[in-house]
Amino acid sequence: MSGILVMPAVLLFWCAQTRSVVALRRVAMLVPALFLIVALLWPVAWNGTPLPGSLWLSFVPGLAAMSAALAWRASFTIMYLLVATGAAQLLNQNRNPTANFAFGLEMVYSFGFSLVFVAMVLEGLRTARMLDRTRIATLDQEAVTAAAETRAAQRRIHDTVVHDWVIATLLAAVKLPHSERTRAEARSTLAKMDAMPLVSSDAAVTADDMITSLRRAIAEIAPEIEVEVVSASKGSAFDADAVRAAAVGAAEAARNSLRHGGTGVRCTVNIVVGTHDFQVAVADDGHGFDTSGTAPDRFGIRGSVGQLDHIDGGVVAVESAPGAGTRVRLAWRKPVVTARPGIRQFIGIQTRTAILVAGIYLVGIAALALMSTHAALGMPTATALLIYGAMAGWFVMAPGDPASRWVRIGVAFGPAATALALWGSASLHTPEQLWPASATAAIYALLILRGRPAAGWCGQVGVVAVCTAWAANRGIDAVPLVLSRLADFAPLVGATAFARIVRPRLHIIVELRAESVRLARREAAARAATTERLHRLQSFDLIARPLLTDIAHSAVLSEATRWECGLLEARLRDELRGGILSTPTLAQAIDLARRRGVEVLLYDDHGADNCPTDIRVALFETVTAELADTEAGQLIVRIGPPGRNVLATVVARTPTGTRRHTIAATDSVATAATGSG
């Protein structure tokens, strides 16, 4: 009969080596069936002699159930464990009367002990299936997220080039139409647009290249500005997008210093490079400004300077006050990599199921104590059981992976509780009284699974040593006793093998999965960046390139060309600060109004980004009507920040009076108030 169980075990090992999932499932279904067959055949082979101790078959129903877990659903596996345990313990009822125990107590102990390991197999398989199910969904979601983030980042790059170069060139063409500097600036702007960088995803640049990029960006704006560099590590690598954003922000900060700081302003740039971080400080002694009252059309501050804020690890701070100068700090630190997930996430530790299984196991241990003492539990035994329960809870709930080093303190409680249970109870002079060695086996096996194998083995060895000392003190032969306790190390052997084989592979699986997600993000981001860049360049070629080319190569700009430069500059500025108002339909109406001489100003603080469709329609209808009705003067459209009762205001200042329209955040129809002025 032993051969019937040995052969499937060999087959399971062979299937695992050949990695044949189909064969593994078939053999896994065979093992639990053969176990029940052996249990049914045993009475036939039994000669009727009472058993001197527990039948060997009663020690392995958990192994058969663990095999069943590879092929059956969890509910069927638990039901099988109940049946197999019951069958084995029924056979145990044929022992000598002096060695026999109550069926109920044996059933509770055997089921609770086996359930710990069966539950771990079931939870591991559940987690593996969950990983398989979520992999594709995760890849798809990551690709969508990466594409959206990359498109937004690429738009920010485009908007920055438009603000820092295109708009500046158009304004220069209006104010200085016959300047060689204006023509040179137009040529530089065209080159900047053609060389507009792609979002580089996870690309990296060296510290030297980062410093060179920052120096070049500052020199393009003002070669006279002195750049000081303090580098602690020239062998470091930094995120390429962070370096680009820092260069753009520093250049715009320097431009603002020279443009708004006043006559004779002194501007300095300091770069500090660390091992995993860098910091750029642009400071001047100019007029300064009130940062709380920054105008909403100051795209240079929130757009160009603030680009680094949109990158992981980036921080932008602007410090200024009237008469106190301005200091802009751009800093980046390499984000901390999330720690690798621990094995507890894969075997269900710290879940409600794990707590339930641990509770059943402790009940089983209490049943074992009742059987072994052949009497009611005394205070020492009950105290030892409480200590074992506390140890199990501590090992399950300990943070970290591997578990916190503090759990090693709990190891010593096992031998201490064992000594309390043995020396505090009446001596039976039998190995049965050494039940604590079996009680702690699964507890220390759990500690091994938490990544503390040395502590787990030391704890169990300490418990067996206490048992051996007790036996020697009671005159019991220690050699047979130690041999009888070797079976208590079986769970530790299994847990050690499982941890040594599975833990590294789980980490590899998670890392490979993270790498596949990273590659999916990178591919989606690259496609999105290329598409967005192409779309923006096509739009630029259509509306701006012809005019910039004319500026770059014409010695004299006509009044009509200068007029078109002003209109295009206003349109581009609308795209930067107009938000949802920058629609093609409104853009056409705005252009017509400006050609009539109306000054149109758009401000969007994003209060209408998520408003209902009917309110947005009411807003657009009001703006469109005012654009058509206003023949001269000024039209201001302002969308407030989120959370305010007033969603937007439309103010038309004309030679005949002022009209004001207010769109409430909760109304579906715009409410208007008209006044004269």
Side-chain angles (χ1 to χ4, degrees):
M1 288 191 297
S2 300
I4 297 178
L5 290 180
V6 172
M7 184 56 65
V10 175
L11 290 175
L12 277 175
F13 179 79
W14 176 79
C15 291
Q17 297 302 311
T18 60
R19 301 182 182 180
S20 173
V21 178
V22 175
L24 184 66
R25 287 179 60 87
R26 289 175 178 174
V27 175
M29 294 175 66
L30 181 64
V31 170
L34 290 179
F35 178 84
L36 289 181
I37 291 174
V38 170
L40 292 174
L41 291 178
W42 186 88
V44 177
W46 182 43
N47 59 10
T49 303
L51 300 174
S54 297
L55 181 65
W56 63 269
L57 198 60
S58 64
F59 294 104
V60 292
L63 296 176
M66 291 170 67
S67 177
L70 299 175
W72 297 346
R73 291 190 303 178
S75 56
F76 290 166
T77 301
I78 300 301
M79 290 176 60
Y80 173 83
L81 178 61
L82 278 170
V83 173
T85 302
Q89 297 306 327
L90 281 174
L91 298 178
N92 265 347
Q93 295 301 301
N94 296 294
R95 289 177 293 205
N96 285 323
T98 58
N100 211 8
F101 302 113
F103 172 77
L105 292 177
E106 287 198 307
M107 182 69 184
V108 170
Y109 165 66
S110 181
F111 178 78
F113 188 87
S114 302
L115 182 62
V116 173
F117 303 97
V118 174
M120 286 194 296
V121 174
L122 289 172
E123 185 61 26
L125 293 171
R126 184 196 67 81
T127 303
R129 288 192 294 269
M130 180 181 64
L131 286 174
D132 289 339
R133 287 194 302 268
T134 59
R135 181 177 179 274
I136 299 300
T138 301
L139 291 177
D140 291 343
Q141 184 59 46
E142 288 290 336
V144 171
T145 302
E149 292 174 349
T150 303
R151 283 193 295 270
Q154 195 67 45
R155 283 194 294 271
R156 286 193 292 270
I157 293 176
H158 173 272
D159 291 347
T160 299
V161 176
V162 168
H163 173 270
D164 295 352
W165 293 92
V166 179
I167 289 179
T169 302
L170 293 172
L171 287 174
V174 174
K175 297 177 181 179
L176 302 170
H178 311 310
S179 168
E180 174 57 32
R181 180 176 179 179
T182 300
R183 290 191 289 274
E185 188 172 340
R187 291 191 291 271
S188 297
T189 298
L190 289 170
K192 284 285 184 181
M193 291 301 299
D194 292 335
M196 185 170 58
L198 284 169
V199 175
S200 51
S201 186
D202 57 353
V205 297
T206 64
D208 290 339
D209 290 340
M210 186 268 291
I211 295 171
T212 301
S213 297
L214 287 167
R215 287 184 180 276
R216 185 185 299 118
I218 298 297
E220 285 183 341
I221 302 301
E224 68 274 14
I225 294 180
E226 182 180 352
V227 179
E228 298 181 359
V229 178
V230 177
S231 180
S233 174
K234 293 192 175 183
S236 303
F238 303 104
D239 180 79
D241 288 329
V243 172
R244 176 196 52 74
V248 169
E252 180 63 15
R255 188 202 306 270
N256 288 337
S257 291
L258 300 180
R259 181 182 297 171
H260 305 294
T263 305
V265 64
R266 181 176 180 273
C267 179
T268 60
V269 178
N270 293 280
I271 303 172
V272 178
V273 182
T275 305
H276 302 292
D277 64 322
F278 65 79
Q279 180 173 297
V280 183
V282 182
D284 66 56
D285 56 359
H287 297 315
F289 63 97
D290 183 2
T291 56
S292 63
T294 303
D297 58 339
R298 290 290 298 275
F299 180 86
I301 294 178
R302 63 180 176 84
S304 301
V305 175
Q307 272 199 40
L308 194 59
D309 259 337
H310 298 280
I311 295 175
D312 287 345
V315 176
V316 177
V318 179
E319 302 172 359
S320 185
T326 302
R327 176 182 172 84
V328 176
R329 186 177 70 90
L330 305 109
W332 180 85
R333 177 177 292 276
K334 185 177 182 180
V336 178
V337 179
T338 304
R340 295 189 304 178
I343 196 172
R344 60 183 178 178
Q345 298 184 25
F346 296 91
I347 59 176
I349 293 178
Q350 295 187 345
T351 64
R352 292 182 179 179
T353 302
I355 295 174
L356 176 62
V357 171
I360 295 175
Y361 172 76
L362 293 174
V363 172
I365 295 303
L368 175 64
L370 284 170
M371 290 188 295
S372 301
T373 57
H374 295 275
L377 297 180
M379 183 58 68
T381 302
T383 303
L385 288 172
L386 290 176
I387 294 175
Y388 293 150
M391 290 172 56
W394 192 356
F395 296 163
V396 167
M397 302 306 296
D401 185 69
S404 170
R405 294 181 179 180
W406 291 102
V407 299
R408 291 183 293 191
I409 298 177
V411 171
F413 286 97
T418 300
L420 177 64
L422 293 178
W423 268 277
S425 303
S427 177
L428 302 178
H429 298 283
T430 67
E432 294 173 4
Q433 194 160 356
L434 302 181
W435 62 270
S438 298
T440 57
I443 297 175
Y444 286 126
L446 176 63
L447 187 58
I448 292 173
L449 291 178
R450 294 300 313 277
R452 297 296 178 185
W457 278 94
C458 287
Q460 186 64 18
V461 168
V463 169
V464 172
V466 170
C467 292
T468 304
W470 175 86
N473 183 261
R474 294 295 188 272
I476 302 175
D477 191 354
V479 174
L481 176 67
V482 172
L483 292 177
S484 69
R485 302 269 53 100
L486 290 179
D488 296 327
F489 287 96
L492 279 74
V493 173
T496 302
F498 182 84
R500 290 182 63 86
I501 295 173
V502 174
R503 286 180 66 91
R505 283 165 173 75
L506 282 176
H507 289 310
I508 293 172
I509 289 171
V510 173
E511 288 171 356
L512 290 175
R513 186 170 181 266
E515 177 67 10
S516 67
V517 170
R518 188 187 68 81
L519 292 176
R521 285 183 60 90
R522 184 176 180 180
E523 181 181 358
R527 288 198 304 268
T530 303
T531 302
E532 187 67 24
R533 182 180 186 275
L534 179 61
H535 170 71
R536 295 288 171 172
L537 285 177
Q538 288 174 343
S539 176
F540 171 78
D541 290 344
L542 181 64
I543 67 173
R545 187 178 293 277
L547 199 53
L548 287 173
T549 302
D550 194 12
I551 297 171
H553 298 96
S554 298
V556 178
L557 295 179
S558 65
E559 288 298 323
T561 300
R562 294 173 61 194
W563 174 252
E564 291 296 332
C565 287
L567 291 175
L568 179 57
E569 184 272 337
R571 177 178 176 181
L572 294 176
R573 198 173 290 277
D574 287 344
E575 292 181 358
L576 296 181
R577 69 190 182 191
I580 66 169
L581 299 171
S582 303
T583 63
T585 303
L586 283 181
Q588 184 177 6
I590 291 170
D591 186 67
L592 292 174
R594 283 174 174 152
R595 290 182 183 278
R596 295 196 303 269
V598 180
E599 181 185 11
V600 181
L601 302 176
L602 305 179
Y603 304 105
D604 184 0
D605 286 334
H606 305 288
D609 288 357
N610 300 311
C611 71
T613 303
D614 54 352
I615 298 180
R616 184 175 295 192
V617 169
L619 171 61
F620 285 1
E621 288 177 348
T622 303
V623 174
T624 303
E626 280 297 339
L627 287 169
D629 294 341
T630 305
E631 295 294 332
Q634 185 185 63
L635 180 65
I636 303 175
V637 182
R638 186 185 299 273
I639 298 177
R644 295 191 178 179
N645 294 329
V646 176
L647 180 72
T649 57
V650 181
V651 180
R653 296 190 177 98
T654 68
T656 60
T658 300
R659 297 186 300 273
R660 177 183 296 272
H661 301 268
T662 302
I663 293 85
T666 57
D667 292 343
S668 60
V669 179
T671 59
T674 304
S676 61

